[in-house]
Amino acid sequence: MLELKRALDAKGHCLLEMPSGTGKTTTLLSLIVAYMKAHPLDLTKLVYCSRTVPEIEKVMEELRKLMNYYEKEMGMEQNILGLALSSRKNLCIHPSVSKEREGKVVDGRCYSLTASFVRARHAADDAVPICEFYEGFDAHGKEFPLPPGVYNLDDLKEYGQTKRWCPYFLARHTITHANIVVYSYHYLLDPKIAEVVSKEISKSSVVVFDEAHNIDNVCIDSMSVKITKRLLDKCSNSITILETTISNMKENDSKRLEKEYKRLVEGLRDATIARETDMALVNPVLPSEILEEAVPGTIRTAEHFVAFLKRVVEYIKTRLRVQHVVQESPAGFLRDIHTKVCIDRKPLRFTAERLASLIRTLEISDLTDFSPLVTVSHFATLVSTYTKGFTIIIEPFEDRAPTVSNPILYFSCLDSSIAIKPVFNRFQTVVITSGTLSPLDMYPKILDFHPVIMTSFTMTLARPCILPMIVSKGNDQVAMSSRYETREDTAVIRNYGNLLVEVAAAVPDGIVCFFTSYLYLETIVSSWYDQGIIDQLQRHKLLFIETQDAAETSLALINYIKACDNGRGAVLLSVARGKVSEGIDFDHHLGRAVLMFGIPYVYTQSRILRARLEYLRDQFQIRENDFLTFDAMRHAAQCLGRCMRGKTDYGIMVLADKRFSRADKRSKLPKWIQEHLKDTNCNLSTEECVQICKRWLRQMAQPFSREDQLGISLLTLEQLQSEEMQKKIQQRAQGV
Amino acid sequence: MADEDETKEYRWESGYEKTWEAIKEDDDGLLESNVADLVARAKRKRAALKATGAIQLGMMRHLFVVVDASACMFLQDLKPTRFLCVLKLLEVFVHEFFDLNPISQLGILTTKMKRSEQITVLAGNQKKHIEALQQLKDLSCEGEPSLQNSLERAMNGLKNMPAHSSREILVLFGSLTTCDPGDIQKTIKALKDNNIRVSIIGLAAEVRICREIAKKTGGTYNVLIDDHHLKELILSQVQPPAVAGSIEASLVKMGFPGGTPSVNDGTSDSSADHAPAYCLCHIDSETSSLMGPNGYNCPQCGSRYCELPVECKQCGLTLVSAPHLARSYHHLFPIKPFIERAQVPNTTHCFACAKLFVEAETNVYECENCHQIVCLDCDLFIRETLHTCPGCASDPVTAQMKTN
């Protein structure tokens, strides 16, 4: 809290690492709210960005508790409005639209019911369906602000139901004057969405990125485009549709096209007015000067533009017809496209905006079919806008199946600071926090900002409730490692298997294992099967495996939880960087132990990664190896952190790779794990590890009540104020 | 554990024991000493709980002991093996159990190979149980245990017991997994509906389902640290638990067979009572022999038994002797809890055991009545075994008051 206050005072950015379950959310919320109350002029708004919908809900729950506490203590209603925002899919209350399961379809259908031209048409002809909730909101909702309080997604829906207002648009409207906004990072980071949703958030806001250990990847993903052959084929289809619609319209209603033409001459700025509902199609980040310029003549008329698009698509198609891997810079790409099909840079920059405008004019309400074309137009705009920090890679086939031709064009962002830069520049304080941010000094480098505070907090615990261990060898003393050279070694695989079997015999309930990749997981499991290890394992616990298929994985997860609840016990084999490692908590009995088989290095042969490494080296002086280790260790820490979700929880963390005990790896673990990783536990064999587990589990199983924590990890007010404690706190919070 | 078992075991056969860690100085403020502290506190809590008094205790207990006999019971982390160690302690338990709860009944189940087997039926004869336990030693442990099957079986046995008795199940569970045929939640619910209390002692680590069962049925769940702790845990089950909710009070018919007639003096009232007869306890076993005039005759049907308490095989009457009843009587009037104090300046030693108080011992305990100071261990001993305060008993004034 102290550190956070300092950052707020300094109006600077900060980076905090706090273990999960230590009240990170509550701390952030309560301090910032208090600060807002004390200095209403300096700090007007809190924007809390989280990752998933359940996380958003959790934050809202904390906020509600805080508000109730305020009410109880102060004895009056609080004049604070807290709000959660999510996609239409989660907020829609339209009877039929809300039944759709895919986000894109909901967006598309919503658009077809609420777009300005649809409503205009409805005014003329009652048969055109519109959304009554949106109409209700449009008619009344804007004048009446939401009463103060805390609204999570369900509350918004309920409120919308009673008032017959659309909760989604209500929420989006309310963002501008709400004090606390909670939503997903994408609303702020993805320039395509941020432009529309978050534009009006004032400068004097605090932005919090929770669970932000992957923030650089989110930034990069939001700016990268991947084009496959299938996508291009679909593009061609949509272009044909566009053509026919245009020719139809020409016959019936040529006036509209003319009007659009005129508007484009005047510039795009006006076009952005009155299109709040049309946001499903928005431009990627466009420097604002582009919006002020007029659209170049060559693509102003609809037919010309479609022809232009056709050329672009055809050009990309020819580029995909390569036999070997091509890597080039955006500048090179532009030069090539200029010489081959005579397309200038300037019209390319306008592609996205022009397409949006065209679709609007043509009154095409079903947007879902056009998404491939939109992707291509984004690509065109991005490639012509940014020349630095991006690369284009064309691969004729996938690495895994070199015989199958499956050309893909990656337009990949190499610099994560591009997407986040506007955020840092605009807001006075940006807080980046997560349970696993170590090593902290890497983030300012790759995100290119200067934090005023960088701190890693540890947990104060009444008992040693995590047990990290590095297991480096099997009982036969063969070193365990997922190194490339020893990967196929049966001795190593067998040792990994034995380790799992023995741990499974000693640890109750749930065990989660992480492998470095799906490929590795598959080879290991198949050789375990041959070696009979799977049979041994199933004597103790049931076995579940994460696959690349999301539905299958969630089914496996459900059954895993069931097996743990029933006392049968289960082992879940999953992959670092997979769905399980990122979003799912294995608290209490669901994850009594986490095993990390090997160091989860990212696939180093990938060309995108290589390009990025090169870029990082040239631009930020980060050595390749440093970045790779950093990336691997934060994922390892992320996986390990899955089993620890609070002070009453306990879990074993086994790092099964010889290389973990090296100083460069070990020192990159979060401080709260390092603190418990004793030197004696750094080079264990399987048997030693199991012995330690057994003893530790018995200790942890002893009754543990609230009083035991009092004075150590739970403080009363008097204890907190005592001088000794103050000193301790100061000591603990030493910066990195 | 008996000594001869220890000597049979070679050091290299046992697991890793980092003996140096036990004496390690606790500089980081965590680990062992802390856990030991927790255990001590739990002890104290137990003592305090027992001392609250004025609660209705289920004196007439029907208890099923379920012993895990799955493959993991062969592990040697308890000496000589978990299974043998548990059986040995159970013998002590059975003995203590009938000593403190003479009018209760006990049954033994085992579970292995996903099934559950009945070793002894609910009965009040401790000899029989102990014999059965001794025979169990040769049983081979294999397969997986099934919590659900054993709980169901125990429940079937307990369901029909009279409502005024306390129905309990004690599970000694070594495995970390259970292989169940159906939804165990239903079983838990049925147990709860039948007012059956399930207490579980885990031999390896905390298993969530066990904790849940114990919590939902009002029992306790504990995991051992070592064999001493296990003994403590098992023996803590000897004390009758407080009755959950209100159980209807009812009258129980009991028989008090006449005191043992001595062999020498032939001055008995009726000669039939002392005529040599087969003891009904052993009638069906091969070792049965005609017994002399020693024994107890059922006042209702006249069957002879060699030991009390027992339930008459002929007429189903519970046969007890007056001292038995008196022994369970103290459960109703436990002594008041002692007051916990920091070191008292002018007392240097424990009143009961005369042990000197050392610095390490932070708390001592004072009796409310006689103001004598005892140590923690004595406090527990008084509470669990003596059931009377040595200070009060030795002081003629208070002792007089008590008898009045």
Side-chain angles (χ1 to χ4, degrees):
Chain A
M1 247 189 194
L2 283 173
E3 306 294 319
L4 186 60
K5 168 95 167 35
R6 258 180 239 154
L8 288 177
D9 283 339
K11 299 207 163 114
H13 309 312
C14 74
L15 207 58
L16 303 174
E17 179 179 61
M18 289 187 261
S20 38
T22 49
K24 197 164 48 193
T25 315
T26 318
T27 315
L28 287 168
L29 284 177
S30 51
L31 180 71
I32 295 175
V33 168
Y35 204 92
M36 267 199 298
K37 286 181 161 293
H39 308 274
L41 293 178
D42 292 343
L43 191 66
T44 50
K45 196 189 279 270
L46 164 64
V47 181
Y48 198 102
C49 301
S50 205
R51 215 168 34 179
T52 57
V53 175
E55 274 165 15
I56 291 176
E57 294 281 328
K58 260 190 260 170
V59 175
M60 292 319 283
E61 226 24 68
E62 291 289 341
L63 183 62
R64 193 189 306 271
K65 270 188 222 155
L66 181 70
M67 286 302 141
N68 286 344
Y69 182 75
Y70 259 114
E71 238 160 70
K72 217 170 72 196
E73 294 292 305
M74 317 267 276
M76 56 176 181
E77 285 278 307
Q78 293 300 308
N79 193 22
I80 278 184
L81 177 61
L83 187 68
L85 177 64
S86 181
S87 66
R88 286 184 174 87
K89 185 183 149 224
N90 295 321
L91 275 175
C92 188
I93 52 171
H94 188 277
S96 69
V97 178
S98 55
K99 298 252 160 40
E100 298 288 351
R101 298 182 112 188
E102 217 171 309
K104 259 190 190 157
V105 181
V106 176
D107 285 355
R109 286 197 58 187
C110 180
Y111 178 76
S112 70
L113 290 175
T114 57
S116 49
F117 62 83
V118 176
R119 297 177 52 220
R121 232 188 281 166
H122 173 78
D125 175 10
D126 273 344
V128 178
I130 50 165
C131 174
E132 56 157 324
F133 296 101
Y134 180 73
E135 293 304 315
F137 165 72
D138 198 45
H140 312 288
K142 283 184 181 164
E143 285 97 70
F144 302 103
L146 222 53
V150 178
Y151 297 87
N152 63 15
L153 299 178
D154 286 336
D155 294 339
L156 279 173
K157 274 195 198 168
E158 205 175 291
Y159 187 77
Q161 280 289 11
T162 51
K163 294 260 183 190
R164 316 289 296 163
W165 293 349
C166 175
Y168 175 74
F169 286 103
L170 179 69
R172 272 190 43 198
H173 176 71
T174 319
I175 284 182
T176 49
H177 62 263
N179 305 83
I180 298 164
V181 182
V182 182
Y183 55 36
S184 144
Y185 316 146
H186 294 280
Y187 286 110
L188 209 54
L189 285 181
D190 194 337
K192 296 166 223 158
I193 310 172
E195 181 67 16
V196 187
V197 179
S198 316
K199 199 165 55 182
E200 280 154 22
I201 295 175
S202 71
K203 198 189 158 345
S204 56
S205 311
V206 176
V207 177
V208 177
F209 289 104
D210 199 356
E211 304 287 341
H213 43 273
N214 273 344
I215 196 163
D216 56 322
N217 292 343
V218 175
C219 293
I220 283 175
D221 285 347
S222 69
M223 300 286 278
S224 300
V225 182
K226 190 172 119 185
I227 297 174
T228 60
K229 195 141 184 213
R230 266 184 70 207
L231 194 111
L232 287 177
D233 291 342
K234 278 192 200 150
C235 280
S236 308
N237 288 342
S238 9
I239 290 178
T240 336
I241 299 174
L242 276 183
E243 267 175 341
T244 49
T245 341
I246 290 173
S247 57
N248 277 346
M249 188 171 275
K250 246 201 167 153
E251 283 164 20
N252 306 335
D253 188 9
S254 55
K255 244 185 235 160
R256 184 125 33 107
L257 284 174
E258 266 166 46
K259 226 200 274 165
E260 187 205 12
Y261 181 81
K262 270 186 208 137
R263 200 174 61 218
L264 291 172
V265 176
E266 282 158 22
L268 285 170
R269 192 40 99 189
D270 304 337
T272 53
I273 299 169
R275 43 151 230 193
E276 140 196 311
T277 56
D278 309 349
M279 91 157 237
L281 261 192
V282 280
N283 55 326
V285 68
L286 277 180
S288 51
E289 66 263 27
I290 288 190
L291 287 175
E292 267 136 38
E293 281 179 61
V295 173
T298 44
I299 55 168
R300 261 179 232 166
T301 35
E303 293 107 323
H304 291 169
F305 178 64
V306 172
F308 169 84
L309 272 183
K310 224 177 188 173
R311 272 202 336 260
V312 174
V313 171
E314 284 308 318
Y315 171 73
I316 299 175
K317 266 192 194 165
T318 58
R319 288 306 305 269
L320 281 184
R321 236 171 270 136
V322 286
Q323 293 304 314
H324 53 93
V325 179
V326 177
Q327 179 175 0
E328 62 182 357
S329 67
F333 182 84
L334 287 176
R335 202 174 327 115
D336 196 51
I337 198 170
H338 184 66
T339 51
K340 290 236 175 87
V341 286
C342 299
I343 289 177
D344 274 338
R345 183 176 172 188
K346 199 168 173 202
L348 268 182
R349 286 171 81 171
F350 286 91
T351 321
E353 193 57 29
R354 182 66 186 86
L355 180 67
S357 157
L358 181 68
I359 288 178
R360 212 157 44 239
T361 321
L362 295 181
E363 306 192 342
I364 295 167
S365 47
D366 191 7
L367 279 176
T368 31
D369 296 342
F370 281 90
S371 60
L373 196 56
V374 174
T375 318
V376 172
S377 72
H378 283 163
F379 165 67
T381 307
L382 284 169
V383 79
S384 51
T385 312
Y386 296 102
T387 49
K388 231 184 93 190
F390 286 84
T391 191
I392 294 168
I393 293 170
I394 304 169
E395 286 183 340
F397 43 74
E398 273 188 62
D399 277 339
R400 274 178 213 154
T403 48
V404 187
S405 166
N406 180 23
I408 299 174
L409 182 145
Y410 295 100
F411 176 67
S412 140
C413 175
L414 304 175
D415 187 352
S416 46
S417 63
I418 292 176
I420 205 167
K421 185 154 255 163
V423 178
F424 281 126
N425 287 341
R426 207 162 93 210
F427 300 110
Q428 62 176 18
T429 305
V430 176
V431 180
I432 293 182
T433 174
S434 172
T436 48
L437 277 178
S438 291
L440 284 174
D441 48 347
M442 190 60 98
Y443 283 89
K445 275 196 207 158
I446 57 175
L447 296 178
D448 195 21
F449 74 109
H450 301 286
V452 288
I453 303 283
M454 262 205 302
T455 311
S456 174
F457 294 97
T458 64
M459 276 188 282
T460 320
L461 294 165
R463 54 176 192 172
C465 69
I466 59 172
L467 179 67
M469 287 184 286
I470 297 173
V471 178
S472 57
K473 48 191 185 280
N475 285 339
D476 51 4
Q477 303 300 316
V478 173
M480 283 199 262
S481 172
S482 67
R483 268 171 66 207
Y484 191 71
E485 297 82 53
T486 60
R487 199 165 270 195
E488 307 294 321
D489 192 347
T490 43
V492 172
I493 295 178
R494 193 185 54 237
N495 271 341
Y496 273 148
N498 285 338
L499 173 68
L500 179 58
V501 169
E502 294 204 17
V503 170
V507 175
D509 298 329
I511 295 179
V512 191
C513 304
F514 290 101
F515 291 83
T516 52
S517 67
Y518 285 107
L519 200 68
Y520 190 49
L521 169 69
E522 278 160 27
T523 50
I524 283 213
V525 168
S526 67
S527 52
W528 278 356
Y529 187 77
D530 294 339
Q531 294 170 351
I533 285 172
I534 300 283
D535 279 346
Q536 287 178 41
L537 193 59
Q538 281 187 324
R539 223 171 287 157
H540 301 291
K541 291 191 193 301
L542 302 182
L543 191 64
F544 297 97
I545 298 179
E546 179 189 10
T547 61
Q548 266 152 323
D549 182 351
E552 232 173 70
T553 305
S554 56
L555 191 69
L557 264 176
I558 291 170
N559 284 317
Y560 170 81
I561 292 170
K562 211 167 153 190
C564 293
D565 281 344
N566 281 335
R568 182 69 182 86
V571 175
L572 181 68
L573 304 181
S574 60
V575 170
R577 294 159 202 278
K579 182 186 167 216
V580 171
S581 72
E582 280 303 325
I584 292 154
D585 291 348
F586 296 98
D587 47 355
H588 296 280
H589 65 290
L590 295 184
R592 280 289 177 235
V594 177
L595 279 85
M596 182 86 231
F597 292 117
I599 300 182
Y601 277 121
V602 49
Y603 178 57
T604 46
Q605 303 303 310
S606 136
R607 287 179 185 83
I608 301 172
L609 180 76
R610 285 222 197 121
R612 189 170 173 211
L613 287 175
E614 218 163 89
Y615 182 82
L616 286 174
R617 192 185 55 209
D618 296 344
Q619 293 293 315
F620 301 115
Q621 287 80 48
I622 298 170
R623 277 186 303 152
E624 282 138 346
N625 207 16
D626 278 354
F627 182 77
L628 285 177
T629 313
F630 151 74
D631 189 64
M633 290 314 287
R634 74 170 166 185
H635 277 104
Q638 187 58 30
C639 298
L640 296 180
R642 291 294 101 200
C643 71
M644 224 4 242
R645 278 1 247 177
K647 282 181 180 173
T648 52
D649 202 354
Y650 61 89
I652 297 169
M653 300 170 175
V654 178
L655 297 153
D657 193 310
K658 198 179 152 216
R659 293 170 293 169
F660 276 118
S661 50
R662 285 194 210 149
D664 64 324
K665 312 280 189 304
R666 225 182 118 188
S667 63
K668 285 190 169 70
L669 283 171
K671 207 170 154 194
W672 58 276
I673 295 181
Q674 263 186 58
E675 202 181 47
H676 290 275
L677 182 57
K678 287 181 291 183
D679 285 337
T680 46
N681 288 353
C682 275
N683 188 15
L684 300 174
S685 71
T686 305
E687 201 177 337
E688 288 167 323
C689 158
V690 170
Q691 291 294 337
I692 294 173
C693 284
K694 276 186 184 164
R695 204 178 46 219
W696 183 80
L697 279 169
R698 284 182 181 169
Q699 281 171 359
M700 285 304 114
Q702 299 313 312
F704 184 61
S705 62
R706 198 165 172 276
E707 293 86 64
D708 298 327
Q709 300 183 35
L710 211 75
I712 305 172
S713 57
L714 256 180
L715 300 175
T716 58
L717 189 61
E718 295 86 61
Q719 280 168 329
L720 185 64
Q721 280 162 346
S722 76
E723 203 165 317
E724 185 195 3
M725 227 5 140
Q726 294 284 348
K727 252 188 233 156
K728 238 192 207 165
I729 291 170
Q730 286 289 347
Q731 251 173 20
R732 286 237 162 221
Q734 275 166 0
V736 176
Chain B
M1 286 306 311
D3 281 339
E4 70 263 21
D5 291 330
E6 300 265 86
T7 48
K8 272 179 205 160
E9 170 97 338
Y10 291 109
R11 291 300 292 174
W12 57 84
E13 284 179 338
S14 62
Y16 282 106
E17 283 172 45
K18 295 194 174 176
T19 40
W20 60 91
E21 280 196 353
I23 51 166
K24 200 184 76 176
E25 203 168 316
D26 200 1
D27 45 11
D28 47 13
L30 297 169
L31 234 63
E32 268 87 358
S33 69
N34 223 323
V35 175
D37 201 35
L38 293 185
V39 174
R41 236 174 289 180
K43 257 191 206 171
R44 178 70 199 148
K45 213 168 158 189
R46 204 173 75 215
L49 191 82
K50 212 163 289 160
T52 38
I55 37 171
Q56 192 185 355
L57 293 169
M59 278 204 303
M60 196 160 176
R61 303 169 71 184
H62 289 98
L63 174 74
F64 261 113
V65 180
V66 179
V67 185
D68 185 352
S70 62
C72 68
M73 294 300 280
F74 258 148
L75 291 182
Q76 303 194 330
D77 49 359
L78 297 173
K79 306 294 174 330
T81 67
R82 280 187 189 177
F83 193 59
L84 294 182
C85 177
V86 163
L87 289 182
K88 202 136 205 173
L89 286 174
L90 268 184
E91 278 177 34
V92 181
F93 170 76
V94 169
H95 186 79
E96 292 278 317
F97 180 82
F98 283 111
D99 200 36
L100 273 177
N101 311 282
I103 49 174
S104 301
Q105 295 191 357
L106 191 112
I108 298 171
L109 298 177
T110 59
T111 170
K112 65 173 187 180
M113 309 268 287
K114 300 161 198 167
R115 278 186 300 244
S116 151
E117 276 169 51
Q118 186 134 20
I119 304 299
T120 55
V121 289
L122 270 186
N125 189 334
Q126 61 164 314
K127 256 195 189 156
K128 219 171 172 182
H129 293 305
I130 288 174
E131 256 166 41
L133 282 174
Q134 274 157 354
Q135 275 163 15
L136 266 185
K137 279 182 185 166
D138 305 327
L139 192 75
S140 69
C141 300
E142 52 195 332
E144 291 149 331
S146 169
L147 261 185
Q148 194 187 14
N149 281 339
S150 32
L151 289 180
E152 290 272 358
R153 179 168 270 226
M155 185 164 69
N156 285 338
L158 289 173
K159 243 191 317 206
N160 302 321
M161 289 300 138
H164 58 81
S165 69
S166 121
R167 306 160 182 178
E168 292 164 64
I169 301 173
L170 170 66
V171 187
L172 292 161
F173 201 59
S175 171
L176 296 173
T177 172
T178 154
C179 195
D180 296 333
D183 185 6
I184 197 158
Q185 297 294 339
K186 278 183 197 150
T187 313
I188 298 177
K189 203 170 167 290
L191 287 168
K192 220 174 135 193
D193 292 343
N194 280 315
N195 247 329
I196 296 172
R197 174 201 311 261
V198 183
S199 292
I200 301 176
I201 297 176
L203 304 184
E206 178 182 343
V207 181
R208 148 85 192 210
I209 192 72
C210 297
R211 171 137 289 174
E212 198 178 318
I213 293 173
K215 201 173 157 197
K216 284 194 176 157
T217 57
T220 56
Y221 177 59
N222 285 301
V223 177
L224 64 95
I225 291 180
D226 50 22
D227 45 359
H228 298 290
H229 190 216
L230 174 65
K231 188 173 179 186
E232 225 164 72
L233 288 177
I234 290 183
L235 292 187
S236 72
Q237 297 294 329
V238 167
Q239 300 286 332
V243 170
S246 58
I247 285 180
E248 56 184 285
S250 64
L251 294 171
V252 187
K253 193 174 174 188
M254 282 183 191
F256 295 88
T260 330
S262 75
V263 194
N264 314 349
D265 85 311
T267 61
S268 53
D269 328 326
S270 70
S271 54
D273 274 1
H274 303 296
Y278 282 106
C279 157
L280 272 189
C281 325
H282 298 102
I283 194 110
D284 29 63
S285 68
E286 304 217 335
T287 55
S288 84
S289 56
L290 203 63
M291 59 188 286
N294 280 339
Y296 306 95
N297 294 336
C298 170
Q300 196 162 269
C301 65
S303 333
R304 169 140 338 157
Y305 294 94
C306 58
E307 220 180 43
L308 288 181
V310 73
E311 188 172 342
C312 177
K313 278 195 181 167
Q314 297 288 343
C315 56
L317 189 70
T318 314
L319 303 181
V320 289
S321 67
H324 284 141
L325 263 192
R327 251 189 289 158
S328 8
Y329 197 63
H330 71 251
H331 294 313
L332 293 182
F333 302 102
I335 46 176
K336 280 185 191 159
F338 288 179
I339 308 156
E340 188 172 276
R341 289 191 190 286
Q343 292 275 20
V344 182
N346 47 11
T347 34
T348 53
H349 60 272
C350 168
F351 176 78
C353 64
K355 191 178 77 173
L356 280 177
F357 290 133
V358 279
E359 285 291 315
E361 222 152 348
T362 43
N363 290 320
V364 294
Y365 303 90
E366 183 187 324
C367 172
E368 264 184 1
N369 272 340
C370 61
H371 304 291
Q372 294 295 356
I373 309 285
V374 296
C375 63
L376 173 63
D377 288 330
C378 286
D379 182 28
L380 278 177
F381 179 71
I382 290 167
R383 232 144 272 288
E384 286 172 2
T385 317
L386 278 185
H387 304 291
T388 171
C389 167
C392 302
S394 60
D395 183 354
V397 184
T398 44
Q400 198 62 39
M401 267 164 56
K402 214 171 178 188
T403 43
N404 290 346

